[in-house]
Amino acid sequence: MPQRFRFLLITGFCLIGQAATALTIVRLGGEDLPKPELATPYEFVQLSWAEVEEKRHGLNELVVADGGFIEPLQLDPTVNLVPTLEENGGQLLALTWIGWGPANGRDMAMFDGDPTTAFLGDGDWGGDYGVIQQKSIIVDFGGRFLLERIRIYPRDRFLTDRFIERFRIGISDGDPLKEGSREFTRGWRGQFYDFELPYNIFENTEAVMDLSLPTVPVQRLLFDAPENTKGIWEVAELEIYGNGFAPFSSYVSNVIDLGAPASLGHLTWEGQLDEGAGVDLSMRSGLDDDPNTYWRATFRGGERTRYDERGRPLVLASYNKLARGEQDGITHDTENWAFWGSAYDFAAKQGAMVGDGPQRFVQVRADFTSTKEASSRIEYVQFAVSIPPVARQAVAEIAPLAAAAGVITPFTYKLKPDVAREDLGFDSITIDTPTRAASIDAVRISDAPVEFEVIALEDESFTVQIPRIDAQRTEELIEVDFHAEIFKFGTVFSGRIFDSQRPAEVPQSITPGNADALEDSDRLSVDLMRLGGQTINGLTLTPRVFSPNGDGINDAVRIEYDLLNLEGAVPVRAELYDLSGQSLGVVVEEAAASGRFATQWNGRDASGNTMAPGLYILRLSVDADKGEDVRQAVISLVY
């Protein structure tokens, strides 16, 4: 058995026992699927959705985690939810003289599944405190469900006389931002919960109550029986039923230890998404095995510390052992872990992994939203890493830091790699651009021009091949001069380095940072000059006079425009009008982001008929967050 797999079996979470020059593919889920077919040798590691543990920072909230897939929990309308509370992270709470606490003792008779036992509503629940005149129980489901009905009934022999004359049923979605704003509050001595009241009954005469509940997400349900004038009542069983998928559910994988710093590749996945449902799939990476920072209150004013009383750094296990008052919160470890990345486009089935430079630890997250009938499923998530990485680190910055919108501008990309002896090294640099670069002009290493080759020039990136960089040339400044244009404030020129002789290995992402001590930049983002509030930068027509007569000369007009500083894709519409203002048809109707766009009009209307000679108005509109921006231009059609 290879060393890395022996280590996996021992630890249960570390994938690789020692560094080795290899491509490694990690798959989470999809356990019945075959291994990927690749021409190059690689290591394959299979992980299970089901092996999620809190101590390894995993989380499962209302998700069915099978070996082959994960999907939101679906409720069976015939199954009582109360017996499954604990396994779903829920609990039963009862109001006592000292506040809310776990339900126990005689309270449990109404939840034990035995209709021959009962909670007796005689008011004798106070013990040393005497008679209590109301009974309040909260069923906390540990997550939000779509409830369908609640069923309350006494023992069979008391169906005629032990009914509950007065009671309330409350529901709450558990949103802390809504606390204090709901219809009814129930609590004591500083412990309060509030609820909407679908039922507030004063004159009930039914012993068996089967009550429908609103179809809204519910995390807590209140059963509250105030003082009854009728006398003794009882509850043999309080049953709650739901239907449909959990509206909100989350899955976070255990922290995955790759065993050594690695170049991170792309995340790929397979799954299905019903119409009306959603799934936000994201990931993060880090340098140690704990993405959190833990804080302890010292009780010296407002002081708090990251260490225990013996001066040892707090970890999850030691934090959980602190007294409730000592626990002073958990925050993200910004020193060693990236934040969760933006959710991937689920339909794309792939996306670049998040992490500046080599990372050793990876975590995957899926947040599901569902309706009663519609949900989603993830079969597997898979990613590739290279160990050792291309370089220990590669930082870069760009100059200048601002450019005019839509103007071809000279840029210099400054890269400083730190390549250790065991690292792969590289001879190629890929730089992402908002549009196709106008030119790639020069490459310098330590200020000396070197031969280079443009081996790829794409619409949104280019790649140059340079003399090989390894441990013998580590920390030399590499500069790439090129011309490009930008259309958005904060355009990021991200990049990657790789060895062209090892095409199967994973390219390494470049980290923004101080590559050149003489350049005051430290970033890879470029801002717009003279930004203003416009979103349309120019609307040009070529030619302005055209003749669609089929002779091959000026048979169509080219419509070109730049969209600026848009946050994602927004509605864009180009429509033709005659001089009287009558619409003649839509030329463009789509969602578009910042960039340069072009289309053509062939002189025909929406029905395909050739338009008469004359002047026409083209109206271009962009519906952005800041409002609608409009440009107009005149088109002259002749024959």
Side-chain angles (χ1 to χ4, degrees):
M1 181 182 293
Q3 172 67 22
R4 68 179 62 194
F5 290 102
R6 287 203 301 270
F7 202 79
L8 170 64
L9 294 176
I10 293 171
T11 67
F13 68 95
C14 182
L15 301 183
I16 301 171
Q18 59 186 22
T21 303
L23 174 70
T24 299
I25 296 178
V26 181
R27 180 187 290 165
L28 179 59
E31 296 179 39
D32 297 331
L33 299 175
K35 298 179 181 179
E37 295 185 5
L38 297 179
T40 187
Y42 69 94
E43 298 279 6
F44 180 71
V45 177
Q46 176 70 62
L47 302 176
S48 173
W49 291 117
E51 295 175 359
V52 59
E53 300 178 29
E54 182 181 358
K55 66 181 180 180
R56 290 156 59 188
H57 311 288
L59 173 72
N60 185 332
E61 290 184 346
L62 309 183
V63 169
V64 175
D66 186 87
F69 62 88
I70 55 172
E71 66 180 5
L73 178 66
Q74 185 177 21
L75 301 182
D76 183 335
T78 66
V79 175
N80 178 17
L81 292 176
V82 176
T84 64
L85 279 179
E86 187 172 345
E87 64 185 73
N88 289 326
Q91 60 180 332
L92 290 167
L93 300 173
L95 184 61
T96 69
W97 285 104
I98 59 174
W100 292 100
N104 52 44
R106 68 175 72 192
D107 294 336
M108 300 308 297
M110 66 177 94
F111 305 110
D112 62 3
D114 183 356
T116 66
T117 63
F119 172 84
L120 192 60
D122 58 2
D124 185 21
W125 320 310
D128 295 338
Y129 298 98
V131 174
I132 302 175
Q133 295 302 326
Q134 102 281 326
K135 171 55 65 176
S136 297
I137 294 286
I138 290 177
V139 182
D140 189 328
F141 296 97
R144 286 172 281 185
F145 289 101
L146 293 177
L147 302 183
E148 192 167 76
R149 62 193 179 98
I150 179 172
R151 189 166 186 263
I152 305 172
Y153 55 91
R155 289 171 289 183
D156 284 346
R157 65 179 183 273
F158 296 111
L159 290 176
T160 59
D161 56 353
R162 289 193 176 177
F163 55 86
I164 309 172
E165 181 186 27
R166 301 174 58 194
F167 67 92
R168 303 181 184 99
I169 301 297
I171 55 175
S172 166
D173 62 2
D175 184 348
L177 298 178
K178 297 179 183 178
E179 298 296 343
S181 66
R182 300 184 181 93
E183 180 181 357
F184 175 74
T185 300
R186 171 57 74 208
W188 182 246
R189 296 195 177 185
Q191 292 180 289
F192 293 94
Y193 295 94
D194 52 40
F195 301 87
E196 303 297 341
L197 292 179
Y199 293 97
N200 190 4
I201 306 300
F202 293 92
E203 296 181 354
N204 173 58
T205 58
E206 299 291 329
V208 179
M209 292 175 288
D210 204 322
L211 308 172
S212 61
L213 294 169
T215 308
V216 295
V218 175
Q219 177 165 332
R220 301 189 191 105
L221 182 140
L222 170 72
F223 166 71
D224 183 66
E227 181 180 1
N228 275 252
T229 58
K230 190 196 82 54
I232 295 176
W233 52 270
E234 70 171 50
V235 176
E237 290 298 313
L238 189 154
E239 301 168 348
I240 304 169
Y241 298 87
N243 198 358
F245 292 97
F248 307 97
S249 52
S250 295
Y251 179 93
V252 180
S253 75
N254 297 329
V255 168
I256 302 169
D257 185 354
L258 303 174
S263 296
L264 304 180
H266 275 66
L267 203 70
T268 61
W269 58 87
E270 284 291 340
Q272 64 186 47
L273 182 62
D274 296 342
E275 185 176 354
V279 54
D280 287 343
L281 179 65
S282 58
M283 61 80 56
R284 63 179 175 180
S285 59
L287 300 173
D288 63 19
D289 62 359
D290 194 331
N292 301 318
T293 298
Y294 305 92
W295 299 92
R296 178 177 66 88
T298 64
F299 304 109
R300 293 190 291 267
E303 182 186 63
R304 65 176 185 168
T305 178
R306 295 166 57 181
Y307 301 91
D308 64 15
E309 291 182 341
R310 297 184 180 181
R312 298 171 299 188
L314 287 168
V315 296
L316 179 60
S318 58
Y319 181 81
N320 288 336
K321 291 179 181 178
L322 296 176
R324 183 70 59 89
E326 287 185 288
Q327 294 178 347
D328 203 32
I330 302 174
T331 58
H332 177 78
D333 180 2
T334 56
E335 296 179 11
N336 299 297
W337 275 80
F339 288 100
W340 289 106
S342 300
Y344 294 106
D345 176 3
F346 192 71
K349 297 187 177 182
Q350 68 166 355
M353 297 181 74
V354 176
D356 289 333
Q359 305 288 312
R360 175 169 172 169
F361 299 87
V362 171
Q363 203 169 22
V364 176
R365 176 174 186 154
D367 294 317
F368 298 91
T369 55
S370 307
T371 66
K372 184 176 180 180
E373 295 85 12
S375 187
S376 49
R377 170 184 288 195
I378 301 177
E379 308 286 344
Y380 69 83
V381 171
Q382 184 171 287
F383 59 90
V385 300
S386 285
I387 301 175
V390 173
R392 183 157 43 191
Q393 188 179 45
V395 298
E397 54 192 326
I398 195 167
L401 295 178
V407 176
I408 295 176
T409 303
F411 291 101
T412 298
Y413 204 89
K414 303 189 175 192
L415 168 68
K416 177 173 283 188
D418 181 2
V419 185
R421 184 178 61 182
E422 65 272 14
D423 293 340
L424 299 178
F426 65 98
D427 63 4
S428 302
I429 306 170
T430 296
I431 298 174
D432 297 323
T433 55
T435 59
R436 181 182 290 258
S439 64
I440 295 90
D441 309 305
V443 175
R444 295 178 298 281
I445 300 179
S446 294
D447 209 31
V450 297
E451 296 288 331
F452 70 96
E453 180 183 356
V454 179
I455 59 176
L457 179 57
E458 309 292 343
D459 287 343
E460 295 184 345
S461 69
F462 67 87
T463 301
V464 293
Q465 191 168 337
I466 64 174
R468 180 171 175 78
I469 304 297
D470 54 23
Q472 302 300 315
R473 306 193 69 174
T474 185
E475 298 192 18
E476 292 195 57
L477 180 64
I478 304 168
E479 297 175 281
V480 181
D481 295 337
F482 63 97
H483 280 72
E485 53 192 338
I486 67 170
F487 302 91
K488 181 179 179 180
F489 188 90
T491 296
V492 177
F493 289 83
S494 54
R496 292 162 297 286
I497 54 177
F498 63 95
D499 185 350
S500 64
Q501 302 305 308
R502 293 185 172 98
E505 297 294 337
V506 174
Q508 181 170 317
S509 60
I510 294 171
T511 304
N514 184 18
D516 184 358
L518 301 179
E519 186 68 49
D520 187 19
S521 168
D522 296 357
R523 59 187 173 101
L524 292 174
S525 60
V526 178
D527 298 337
L528 286 179
M529 299 169 58
R530 303 184 300 274
L531 178 60
Q534 76 273 16
T535 56
I536 302 173
N537 184 46
L539 172 58
T540 60
L541 307 177
T542 309
R544 282 193 172 273
V545 180
F546 78 110
S547 54
N549 55 14
D551 65 357
I553 301 174
N554 293 337
D555 280 340
V557 58
R558 178 180 172 85
I559 304 166
E560 191 172 80
Y561 52 93
D562 297 341
L563 301 182
L564 306 180
N565 208 37
L566 298 174
E567 294 298 331
V570 301
V572 177
R573 182 184 179 93
E575 191 167 3
L576 281 166
Y577 295 86
D578 61 21
L579 295 182
S580 69
Q582 180 179 351
S583 175
L584 302 175
V586 176
V587 178
V588 174
E589 188 166 29
E590 63 183 2
S594 301
R596 173 159 292 161
F597 301 87
T599 188
Q600 291 191 126
W601 181 48
N602 60 6
R604 299 178 182 274
D605 63 16
S607 301
N609 301 316
T610 302
M611 304 288 290
L615 298 177
Y616 297 91
I617 305 297
L618 179 75
R619 183 182 189 271
L620 176 67
S621 63
V622 176
D623 187 11
D625 289 341
K626 61 191 71 175
E628 186 181 47
D629 195 5
V630 177
R631 295 289 186 278
Q632 293 186 162
V634 178
I635 301 175
S636 179
L637 189 155
V638 300
Y639 291 103

